PDB file of all heavy atoms in Angstrom:
ATOM      1  N   ALA P   1     -88.505  36.477  26.079  1.00  0.00           N
ATOM      2  CA  ALA P   1     -88.066  36.780  24.702  1.00  0.00           C
ATOM      3  C   ALA P   1     -89.269  36.665  23.780  1.00  0.00           C
ATOM      4  O   ALA P   1     -90.222  35.930  24.013  1.00  0.00           O
ATOM      5  CB  ALA P   1     -86.952  35.845  24.271  1.00  0.00           C
ATOM      6  N   ASN P   2     -89.195  37.343  22.660  1.00  0.00           N
ATOM      7  CA  ASN P   2     -90.183  37.293  21.605  1.00  0.00           C
ATOM      8  C   ASN P   2     -89.498  36.924  20.271  1.00  0.00           C
ATOM      9  O   ASN P   2     -88.359  37.318  20.002  1.00  0.00           O
ATOM     10  CB  ASN P   2     -90.893  38.614  21.433  1.00  0.00           C
ATOM     11  CG  ASN P   2     -91.559  39.083  22.714  1.00  0.00           C
ATOM     12  OD1 ASN P   2     -92.450  38.452  23.227  1.00  0.00           O
ATOM     13  ND2 ASN P   2     -91.061  40.200  23.251  1.00  0.00           N
ATOM     14  N   TYR P   3     -90.256  36.208  19.436  1.00  0.00           N
ATOM     15  CA  TYR P   3     -89.712  35.697  18.218  1.00  0.00           C
ATOM     16  C   TYR P   3     -90.663  35.902  17.062  1.00  0.00           C
ATOM     17  O   TYR P   3     -91.890  35.837  17.301  1.00  0.00           O
ATOM     18  CB  TYR P   3     -89.340  34.239  18.298  1.00  0.00           C
ATOM     19  CG  TYR P   3     -88.289  33.918  19.348  1.00  0.00           C
ATOM     20  CD1 TYR P   3     -88.684  33.527  20.633  1.00  0.00           C
ATOM     21  CD2 TYR P   3     -86.953  33.933  19.032  1.00  0.00           C
ATOM     22  CE1 TYR P   3     -87.747  33.229  21.578  1.00  0.00           C
ATOM     23  CE2 TYR P   3     -85.975  33.685  19.986  1.00  0.00           C
ATOM     24  CZ  TYR P   3     -86.391  33.301  21.301  1.00  0.00           C
ATOM     25  OH  TYR P   3     -85.481  33.046  22.240  1.00  0.00           O
ATOM     26  N   ALA P   4     -90.177  36.138  15.889  1.00  0.00           N
ATOM     27  CA  ALA P   4     -91.009  36.104  14.700  1.00  0.00           C
ATOM     28  C   ALA P   4     -91.597  34.693  14.582  1.00  0.00           C
ATOM     29  O   ALA P   4     -90.937  33.695  14.901  1.00  0.00           O
ATOM     30  CB  ALA P   4     -90.246  36.475  13.491  1.00  0.00           C
ATOM     31  N   ASP P   5     -92.803  34.624  14.061  1.00  0.00           N
ATOM     32  CA  ASP P   5     -93.464  33.307  13.952  1.00  0.00           C
ATOM     33  C   ASP P   5     -92.610  32.347  13.095  1.00  0.00           C
ATOM     34  O   ASP P   5     -92.581  31.146  13.409  1.00  0.00           O
ATOM     35  CB  ASP P   5     -94.807  33.451  13.307  1.00  0.00           C
ATOM     36  CG  ASP P   5     -95.828  34.094  14.260  1.00  0.00           C
ATOM     37  OD1 ASP P   5     -95.619  34.063  15.505  1.00  0.00           O
ATOM     38  OD2 ASP P   5     -96.852  34.614  13.795  1.00  0.00           O
ATOM     39  N   SER P   6     -91.956  32.865  12.146  1.00  0.00           N
ATOM     40  CA  SER P   6     -91.222  31.981  11.221  1.00  0.00           C
ATOM     41  C   SER P   6     -89.983  31.340  11.853  1.00  0.00           C
ATOM     42  O   SER P   6     -89.501  30.343  11.312  1.00  0.00           O
ATOM     43  CB  SER P   6     -90.724  32.838  10.000  1.00  0.00           C
ATOM     44  OG  SER P   6     -89.899  33.860  10.343  1.00  0.00           O
ATOM     45  N   VAL P   7     -89.526  31.831  13.015  1.00  0.00           N
ATOM     46  CA  VAL P   7     -88.340  31.299  13.603  1.00  0.00           C
ATOM     47  C   VAL P   7     -88.616  30.650  14.965  1.00  0.00           C
ATOM     48  O   VAL P   7     -87.682  30.089  15.570  1.00  0.00           O
ATOM     49  CB  VAL P   7     -87.221  32.356  13.731  1.00  0.00           C
ATOM     50  CG1 VAL P   7     -86.950  33.046  12.394  1.00  0.00           C
ATOM     51  CG2 VAL P   7     -87.610  33.369  14.853  1.00  0.00           C
ATOM     52  N   LYS P   8     -89.832  30.703  15.414  1.00  0.00           N
ATOM     53  CA  LYS P   8     -90.152  30.125  16.740  1.00  0.00           C
ATOM     54  C   LYS P   8     -89.776  28.631  16.770  1.00  0.00           C
ATOM     55  O   LYS P   8     -90.107  27.908  15.856  1.00  0.00           O
ATOM     56  CB  LYS P   8     -91.646  30.294  17.089  1.00  0.00           C
ATOM     57  CG  LYS P   8     -92.024  31.740  17.440  1.00  0.00           C
ATOM     58  CD  LYS P   8     -93.456  31.841  17.787  1.00  0.00           C
ATOM     59  CE  LYS P   8     -93.813  33.271  18.180  1.00  0.00           C
ATOM     60  NZ  LYS P   8     -95.248  33.436  18.478  1.00  0.00           N
ATOM     61  N   GLY P   9     -89.152  28.253  17.840  1.00  0.00           N
ATOM     62  CA  GLY P   9     -88.767  26.858  17.975  1.00  0.00           C
ATOM     63  C   GLY P   9     -87.438  26.521  17.373  1.00  0.00           C
ATOM     64  O   GLY P   9     -86.887  25.446  17.665  1.00  0.00           O
ATOM     65  N   ARG P  10     -86.862  27.460  16.592  1.00  0.00           N
ATOM     66  CA  ARG P  10     -85.601  27.193  15.932  1.00  0.00           C
ATOM     67  C   ARG P  10     -84.501  28.207  16.374  1.00  0.00           C
ATOM     68  O   ARG P  10     -83.343  27.860  16.392  1.00  0.00           O
ATOM     69  CB  ARG P  10     -85.716  27.265  14.408  1.00  0.00           C
ATOM     70  CG  ARG P  10     -86.659  26.181  13.846  1.00  0.00           C
ATOM     71  CD  ARG P  10     -86.637  26.185  12.355  1.00  0.00           C
ATOM     72  NE  ARG P  10     -87.121  27.434  11.807  1.00  0.00           N
ATOM     73  CZ  ARG P  10     -86.430  28.354  11.127  1.00  0.00           C
ATOM     74  NH1 ARG P  10     -85.125  28.125  10.880  1.00  0.00           N
ATOM     75  NH2 ARG P  10     -86.963  29.477  10.684  1.00  0.00           N
ATOM     76  N   PHE P  11     -84.882  29.447  16.707  1.00  0.00           N
ATOM     77  CA  PHE P  11     -83.929  30.489  17.076  1.00  0.00           C
ATOM     78  C   PHE P  11     -84.077  30.760  18.565  1.00  0.00           C
ATOM     79  O   PHE P  11     -85.185  30.686  19.118  1.00  0.00           O
ATOM     80  CB  PHE P  11     -84.203  31.756  16.329  1.00  0.00           C
ATOM     81  CG  PHE P  11     -83.837  31.763  14.853  1.00  0.00           C
ATOM     82  CD1 PHE P  11     -83.576  30.586  14.217  1.00  0.00           C
ATOM     83  CD2 PHE P  11     -83.703  32.943  14.196  1.00  0.00           C
ATOM     84  CE1 PHE P  11     -83.260  30.530  12.856  1.00  0.00           C
ATOM     85  CE2 PHE P  11     -83.364  32.954  12.814  1.00  0.00           C
ATOM     86  CZ  PHE P  11     -83.124  31.757  12.178  1.00  0.00           C
ATOM     87  N   THR P  12     -82.944  31.118  19.165  1.00  0.00           N
ATOM     88  CA  THR P  12     -82.951  31.498  20.600  1.00  0.00           C
ATOM     89  C   THR P  12     -82.103  32.725  20.802  1.00  0.00           C
ATOM     90  O   THR P  12     -80.925  32.774  20.392  1.00  0.00           O
ATOM     91  CB  THR P  12     -82.415  30.332  21.478  1.00  0.00           C
ATOM     92  OG1 THR P  12     -83.213  29.177  21.280  1.00  0.00           O
ATOM     93  CG2 THR P  12     -82.489  30.748  22.935  1.00  0.00           C
ATOM     94  N   ILE P  13     -82.683  33.737  21.429  1.00  0.00           N
ATOM     95  CA  ILE P  13     -81.956  34.961  21.740  1.00  0.00           C
ATOM     96  C   ILE P  13     -81.545  34.899  23.204  1.00  0.00           C
ATOM     97  O   ILE P  13     -82.294  34.446  24.089  1.00  0.00           O
ATOM     98  CB  ILE P  13     -82.792  36.209  21.505  1.00  0.00           C
ATOM     99  CG1 ILE P  13     -81.947  37.515  21.705  1.00  0.00           C
ATOM    100  CG2 ILE P  13     -84.029  36.248  22.373  1.00  0.00           C
ATOM    101  CD1 ILE P  13     -82.691  38.780  21.233  1.00  0.00           C
ATOM    102  N   SER P  14     -80.294  35.371  23.479  1.00  0.00           N
ATOM    103  CA  SER P  14     -79.814  35.344  24.858  1.00  0.00           C
ATOM    104  C   SER P  14     -78.828  36.439  25.013  1.00  0.00           C
ATOM    105  O   SER P  14     -78.361  37.072  24.007  1.00  0.00           O
ATOM    106  CB  SER P  14     -79.226  33.938  25.222  1.00  0.00           C
ATOM    107  OG  SER P  14     -78.132  33.657  24.373  1.00  0.00           O
ATOM    108  N   GLN P  15     -78.358  36.690  26.216  1.00  0.00           N
ATOM    109  CA  GLN P  15     -77.350  37.669  26.475  1.00  0.00           C
ATOM    110  C   GLN P  15     -76.538  37.304  27.674  1.00  0.00           C
ATOM    111  O   GLN P  15     -76.963  36.611  28.576  1.00  0.00           O
ATOM    112  CB  GLN P  15     -77.971  39.068  26.675  1.00  0.00           C
ATOM    113  CG  GLN P  15     -78.902  39.181  27.886  1.00  0.00           C
ATOM    114  CD  GLN P  15     -79.657  40.467  27.887  1.00  0.00           C
ATOM    115  OE1 GLN P  15     -80.398  40.798  26.937  1.00  0.00           O
ATOM    116  NE2 GLN P  15     -79.539  41.227  28.970  1.00  0.00           N
ATOM    117  N   ASP P  16     -75.339  37.807  27.693  1.00  0.00           N
ATOM    118  CA  ASP P  16     -74.404  37.622  28.786  1.00  0.00           C
ATOM    119  C   ASP P  16     -73.935  39.023  29.210  1.00  0.00           C
ATOM    120  O   ASP P  16     -73.148  39.680  28.543  1.00  0.00           O
ATOM    121  CB  ASP P  16     -73.194  36.767  28.377  1.00  0.00           C
ATOM    122  CG  ASP P  16     -72.279  36.398  29.530  1.00  0.00           C
ATOM    123  OD1 ASP P  16     -72.126  37.229  30.429  1.00  0.00           O
ATOM    124  OD2 ASP P  16     -71.701  35.311  29.514  1.00  0.00           O
ATOM    125  N   ASN P  17     -74.483  39.494  30.271  1.00  0.00           N
ATOM    126  CA  ASN P  17     -74.190  40.854  30.719  1.00  0.00           C
ATOM    127  C   ASN P  17     -72.748  41.054  31.056  1.00  0.00           C
ATOM    128  O   ASN P  17     -72.167  42.113  30.784  1.00  0.00           O
ATOM    129  CB  ASN P  17     -75.111  41.246  31.936  1.00  0.00           C
ATOM    130  CG  ASN P  17     -76.545  41.288  31.535  1.00  0.00           C
ATOM    131  OD1 ASN P  17     -76.941  41.614  30.427  1.00  0.00           O
ATOM    132  ND2 ASN P  17     -77.423  41.068  32.506  1.00  0.00           N
ATOM    133  N   ALA P  18     -72.121  40.069  31.671  1.00  0.00           N
ATOM    134  CA  ALA P  18     -70.718  40.176  32.064  1.00  0.00           C
ATOM    135  C   ALA P  18     -69.841  40.350  30.830  1.00  0.00           C
ATOM    136  O   ALA P  18     -68.850  41.075  30.887  1.00  0.00           O
ATOM    137  CB  ALA P  18     -70.315  38.952  32.891  1.00  0.00           C
ATOM    138  N   LYS P  19     -70.166  39.639  29.781  1.00  0.00           N
ATOM    139  CA  LYS P  19     -69.404  39.720  28.541  1.00  0.00           C
ATOM    140  C   LYS P  19     -69.885  40.843  27.624  1.00  0.00           C
ATOM    141  O   LYS P  19     -69.285  41.045  26.568  1.00  0.00           O
ATOM    142  CB  LYS P  19     -69.418  38.374  27.824  1.00  0.00           C
ATOM    143  CG  LYS P  19     -68.764  37.276  28.562  1.00  0.00           C
ATOM    144  CD  LYS P  19     -68.805  35.961  27.738  1.00  0.00           C
ATOM    145  CE  LYS P  19     -68.093  34.850  28.520  1.00  0.00           C
ATOM    146  NZ  LYS P  19     -68.142  33.543  27.709  1.00  0.00           N
ATOM    147  N   LYS P  20     -70.979  41.482  27.968  1.00  0.00           N
ATOM    148  CA  LYS P  20     -71.533  42.567  27.208  1.00  0.00           C
ATOM    149  C   LYS P  20     -71.866  42.068  25.773  1.00  0.00           C
ATOM    150  O   LYS P  20     -71.602  42.740  24.768  1.00  0.00           O
ATOM    151  CB  LYS P  20     -70.645  43.763  27.124  1.00  0.00           C
ATOM    152  CG  LYS P  20     -70.373  44.388  28.489  1.00  0.00           C
ATOM    153  CD  LYS P  20     -69.582  45.685  28.416  1.00  0.00           C
ATOM    154  CE  LYS P  20     -68.144  45.410  27.944  1.00  0.00           C
ATOM    155  NZ  LYS P  20     -67.312  46.641  27.958  1.00  0.00           N
ATOM    156  N   THR P  21     -72.436  40.852  25.738  1.00  0.00           N
ATOM    157  CA  THR P  21     -72.614  40.209  24.433  1.00  0.00           C
ATOM    158  C   THR P  21     -74.055  39.626  24.392  1.00  0.00           C
ATOM    159  O   THR P  21     -74.540  39.065  25.352  1.00  0.00           O
ATOM    160  CB  THR P  21     -71.648  39.093  24.231  1.00  0.00           C
ATOM    161  OG1 THR P  21     -70.307  39.648  24.218  1.00  0.00           O
ATOM    162  CG2 THR P  21     -71.867  38.403  22.948  1.00  0.00           C
ATOM    163  N   ALA P  22     -74.680  39.821  23.230  1.00  0.00           N
ATOM    164  CA  ALA P  22     -75.933  39.191  22.926  1.00  0.00           C
ATOM    165  C   ALA P  22     -75.750  38.113  21.896  1.00  0.00           C
ATOM    166  O   ALA P  22     -74.809  38.222  21.026  1.00  0.00           O
ATOM    167  CB  ALA P  22     -77.002  40.205  22.443  1.00  0.00           C
ATOM    168  N   TYR P  23     -76.582  37.128  21.879  1.00  0.00           N
ATOM    169  CA  TYR P  23     -76.453  35.985  20.971  1.00  0.00           C
ATOM    170  C   TYR P  23     -77.779  35.700  20.250  1.00  0.00           C
ATOM    171  O   TYR P  23     -78.833  35.949  20.765  1.00  0.00           O
ATOM    172  CB  TYR P  23     -76.013  34.731  21.714  1.00  0.00           C
ATOM    173  CG  TYR P  23     -74.726  34.894  22.523  1.00  0.00           C
ATOM    174  CD1 TYR P  23     -74.776  35.170  23.878  1.00  0.00           C
ATOM    175  CD2 TYR P  23     -73.508  34.731  21.970  1.00  0.00           C
ATOM    176  CE1 TYR P  23     -73.634  35.320  24.641  1.00  0.00           C
ATOM    177  CE2 TYR P  23     -72.309  34.839  22.685  1.00  0.00           C
ATOM    178  CZ  TYR P  23     -72.375  35.156  24.036  1.00  0.00           C
ATOM    179  OH  TYR P  23     -71.258  35.285  24.771  1.00  0.00           O
ATOM    180  N   LEU P  24     -77.608  35.145  19.101  1.00  0.00           N
ATOM    181  CA  LEU P  24     -78.755  34.559  18.416  1.00  0.00           C
ATOM    182  C   LEU P  24     -78.324  33.206  17.873  1.00  0.00           C
ATOM    183  O   LEU P  24     -77.531  33.085  16.972  1.00  0.00           O
ATOM    184  CB  LEU P  24     -79.198  35.441  17.244  1.00  0.00           C
ATOM    185  CG  LEU P  24     -80.480  34.980  16.519  1.00  0.00           C
ATOM    186  CD1 LEU P  24     -81.660  35.074  17.421  1.00  0.00           C
ATOM    187  CD2 LEU P  24     -80.683  35.788  15.207  1.00  0.00           C
ATOM    188  N   GLN P  25     -78.847  32.158  18.538  1.00  0.00           N
ATOM    189  CA  GLN P  25     -78.655  30.834  18.112  1.00  0.00           C
ATOM    190  C   GLN P  25     -79.670  30.444  17.057  1.00  0.00           C
ATOM    191  O   GLN P  25     -80.877  30.576  17.295  1.00  0.00           O
ATOM    192  CB  GLN P  25     -78.733  29.854  19.299  1.00  0.00           C
ATOM    193  CG  GLN P  25     -78.552  28.366  18.913  1.00  0.00           C
ATOM    194  CD  GLN P  25     -77.188  28.053  18.452  1.00  0.00           C
ATOM    195  OE1 GLN P  25     -76.208  28.470  19.073  1.00  0.00           O
ATOM    196  NE2 GLN P  25     -77.087  27.272  17.359  1.00  0.00           N
ATOM    197  N   MET P  26     -79.201  30.065  15.893  1.00  0.00           N
ATOM    198  CA  MET P  26     -80.082  29.757  14.763  1.00  0.00           C
ATOM    199  C   MET P  26     -79.878  28.302  14.382  1.00  0.00           C
ATOM    200  O   MET P  26     -78.811  27.914  13.938  1.00  0.00           O
ATOM    201  CB  MET P  26     -79.807  30.697  13.624  1.00  0.00           C
ATOM    202  CG  MET P  26     -79.837  32.164  13.947  1.00  0.00           C
ATOM    203  SD  MET P  26     -79.617  33.265  12.519  1.00  0.00           S
ATOM    204  CE  MET P  26     -77.976  32.777  11.993  1.00  0.00           C
ATOM    205  N   ASN P  27     -80.991  27.530  14.483  1.00  0.00           N
ATOM    206  CA  ASN P  27     -80.945  26.130  14.133  1.00  0.00           C
ATOM    207  C   ASN P  27     -81.836  25.875  12.937  1.00  0.00           C
ATOM    208  O   ASN P  27     -82.764  26.613  12.667  1.00  0.00           O
ATOM    209  CB  ASN P  27     -81.367  25.283  15.311  1.00  0.00           C
ATOM    210  CG  ASN P  27     -80.436  25.388  16.491  1.00  0.00           C
ATOM    211  OD1 ASN P  27     -79.211  25.594  16.351  1.00  0.00           O
ATOM    212  ND2 ASN P  27     -81.009  25.233  17.706  1.00  0.00           N
ATOM    213  N   SER P  28     -81.564  24.791  12.253  1.00  0.00           N
ATOM    214  CA  SER P  28     -82.409  24.376  11.108  1.00  0.00           C
ATOM    215  C   SER P  28     -82.592  25.522  10.137  1.00  0.00           C
ATOM    216  O   SER P  28     -83.736  25.808   9.738  1.00  0.00           O
ATOM    217  CB  SER P  28     -83.749  23.824  11.615  1.00  0.00           C
ATOM    218  OG  SER P  28     -83.553  22.735  12.477  1.00  0.00           O
ATOM    219  N   LEU P  29     -81.515  26.127   9.756  1.00  0.00           N
ATOM    220  CA  LEU P  29     -81.651  27.312   8.871  1.00  0.00           C
ATOM    221  C   LEU P  29     -82.197  26.937   7.509  1.00  0.00           C
ATOM    222  O   LEU P  29     -81.872  25.852   6.984  1.00  0.00           O
ATOM    223  CB  LEU P  29     -80.259  27.950   8.715  1.00  0.00           C
ATOM    224  CG  LEU P  29     -79.862  28.836   9.873  1.00  0.00           C
ATOM    225  CD1 LEU P  29     -78.362  29.084   9.866  1.00  0.00           C
ATOM    226  CD2 LEU P  29     -80.596  30.172   9.784  1.00  0.00           C
ATOM    227  N   LYS P  30     -82.988  27.818   6.959  1.00  0.00           N
ATOM    228  CA  LYS P  30     -83.583  27.671   5.687  1.00  0.00           C
ATOM    229  C   LYS P  30     -82.932  28.552   4.653  1.00  0.00           C
ATOM    230  O   LYS P  30     -82.355  29.598   4.977  1.00  0.00           O
ATOM    231  CB  LYS P  30     -85.084  27.987   5.765  1.00  0.00           C
ATOM    232  CG  LYS P  30     -85.875  27.133   6.775  1.00  0.00           C
ATOM    233  CD  LYS P  30     -87.272  27.594   6.924  1.00  0.00           C
ATOM    234  CE  LYS P  30     -88.081  26.807   7.907  1.00  0.00           C
ATOM    235  NZ  LYS P  30     -89.488  27.277   8.063  1.00  0.00           N
ATOM    236  N   HIS P  31     -83.010  28.173   3.410  1.00  0.00           N
ATOM    237  CA  HIS P  31     -82.380  28.929   2.343  1.00  0.00           C
ATOM    238  C   HIS P  31     -82.842  30.344   2.295  1.00  0.00           C
ATOM    239  O   HIS P  31     -82.086  31.267   2.133  1.00  0.00           O
ATOM    240  CB  HIS P  31     -82.631  28.258   0.976  1.00  0.00           C
ATOM    241  CG  HIS P  31     -82.074  28.967  -0.177  1.00  0.00           C
ATOM    242  ND1 HIS P  31     -80.705  29.062  -0.432  1.00  0.00           N
ATOM    243  CD2 HIS P  31     -82.652  29.765  -1.128  1.00  0.00           C
ATOM    244  CE1 HIS P  31     -80.488  29.786  -1.463  1.00  0.00           C
ATOM    245  NE2 HIS P  31     -81.658  30.253  -1.960  1.00  0.00           N
ATOM    246  N   GLU P  32     -84.162  30.566   2.515  1.00  0.00           N
ATOM    247  CA  GLU P  32     -84.739  31.907   2.447  1.00  0.00           C
ATOM    248  C   GLU P  32     -84.370  32.821   3.611  1.00  0.00           C
ATOM    249  O   GLU P  32     -84.700  33.959   3.626  1.00  0.00           O
ATOM    250  CB  GLU P  32     -86.278  31.804   2.332  1.00  0.00           C
ATOM    251  CG  GLU P  32     -86.931  31.081   3.530  1.00  0.00           C
ATOM    252  CD  GLU P  32     -87.163  29.626   3.255  1.00  0.00           C
ATOM    253  OE1 GLU P  32     -86.359  29.010   2.499  1.00  0.00           O
ATOM    254  OE2 GLU P  32     -88.168  29.067   3.827  1.00  0.00           O
ATOM    255  N   GLU P  33     -83.656  32.274   4.589  1.00  0.00           N
ATOM    256  CA  GLU P  33     -83.207  33.063   5.720  1.00  0.00           C
ATOM    257  C   GLU P  33     -81.833  33.608   5.588  1.00  0.00           C
ATOM    258  O   GLU P  33     -81.286  34.218   6.465  1.00  0.00           O
ATOM    259  CB  GLU P  33     -83.286  32.209   7.040  1.00  0.00           C
ATOM    260  CG  GLU P  33     -84.746  31.896   7.388  1.00  0.00           C
ATOM    261  CD  GLU P  33     -84.872  30.972   8.599  1.00  0.00           C
ATOM    262  OE1 GLU P  33     -84.103  29.980   8.694  1.00  0.00           O
ATOM    263  OE2 GLU P  33     -85.736  31.249   9.435  1.00  0.00           O
ATOM    264  N   ALA P  34     -81.239  33.456   4.403  1.00  0.00           N
ATOM    265  CA  ALA P  34     -79.981  34.132   4.065  1.00  0.00           C
ATOM    266  C   ALA P  34     -80.238  35.620   4.118  1.00  0.00           C
ATOM    267  O   ALA P  34     -81.213  36.124   3.495  1.00  0.00           O
ATOM    268  CB  ALA P  34     -79.484  33.678   2.728  1.00  0.00           C
ATOM    269  N   ALA P  35     -79.413  36.336   4.806  1.00  0.00           N
ATOM    270  CA  ALA P  35     -79.588  37.758   4.979  1.00  0.00           C
ATOM    271  C   ALA P  35     -78.421  38.344   5.780  1.00  0.00           C
ATOM    272  O   ALA P  35     -77.545  37.601   6.299  1.00  0.00           O
ATOM    273  CB  ALA P  35     -80.917  38.056   5.712  1.00  0.00           C
ATOM    274  N   VAL P  36     -78.384  39.649   5.882  1.00  0.00           N
ATOM    275  CA  VAL P  36     -77.527  40.312   6.803  1.00  0.00           C
ATOM    276  C   VAL P  36     -78.253  40.465   8.109  1.00  0.00           C
ATOM    277  O   VAL P  36     -79.393  41.002   8.138  1.00  0.00           O
ATOM    278  CB  VAL P  36     -77.037  41.689   6.307  1.00  0.00           C
ATOM    279  CG1 VAL P  36     -76.155  42.342   7.364  1.00  0.00           C
ATOM    280  CG2 VAL P  36     -76.301  41.559   5.012  1.00  0.00           C
ATOM    281  N   TYR P  37     -77.672  39.995   9.143  1.00  0.00           N
ATOM    282  CA  TYR P  37     -78.274  40.042  10.453  1.00  0.00           C
ATOM    283  C   TYR P  37     -77.664  41.140  11.295  1.00  0.00           C
ATOM    284  O   TYR P  37     -76.441  41.266  11.412  1.00  0.00           O
ATOM    285  CB  TYR P  37     -78.114  38.687  11.163  1.00  0.00           C
ATOM    286  CG  TYR P  37     -79.072  37.626  10.622  1.00  0.00           C
ATOM    287  CD1 TYR P  37     -78.829  37.074   9.385  1.00  0.00           C
ATOM    288  CD2 TYR P  37     -80.152  37.153  11.393  1.00  0.00           C
ATOM    289  CE1 TYR P  37     -79.656  36.080   8.877  1.00  0.00           C
ATOM    290  CE2 TYR P  37     -81.008  36.183  10.882  1.00  0.00           C
ATOM    291  CZ  TYR P  37     -80.741  35.665   9.653  1.00  0.00           C
ATOM    292  OH  TYR P  37     -81.622  34.708   9.160  1.00  0.00           O
TER     293      TYR P  37
END
């Protein structure tokens, strides 16, 4: 996986092929990271 420098160490991307679902785990969220994802 690759991450923007600003989120390295805090965000994790993953996927579950059986569930046909991708995930983005976001930890230690900052105020400036409010957005539509």
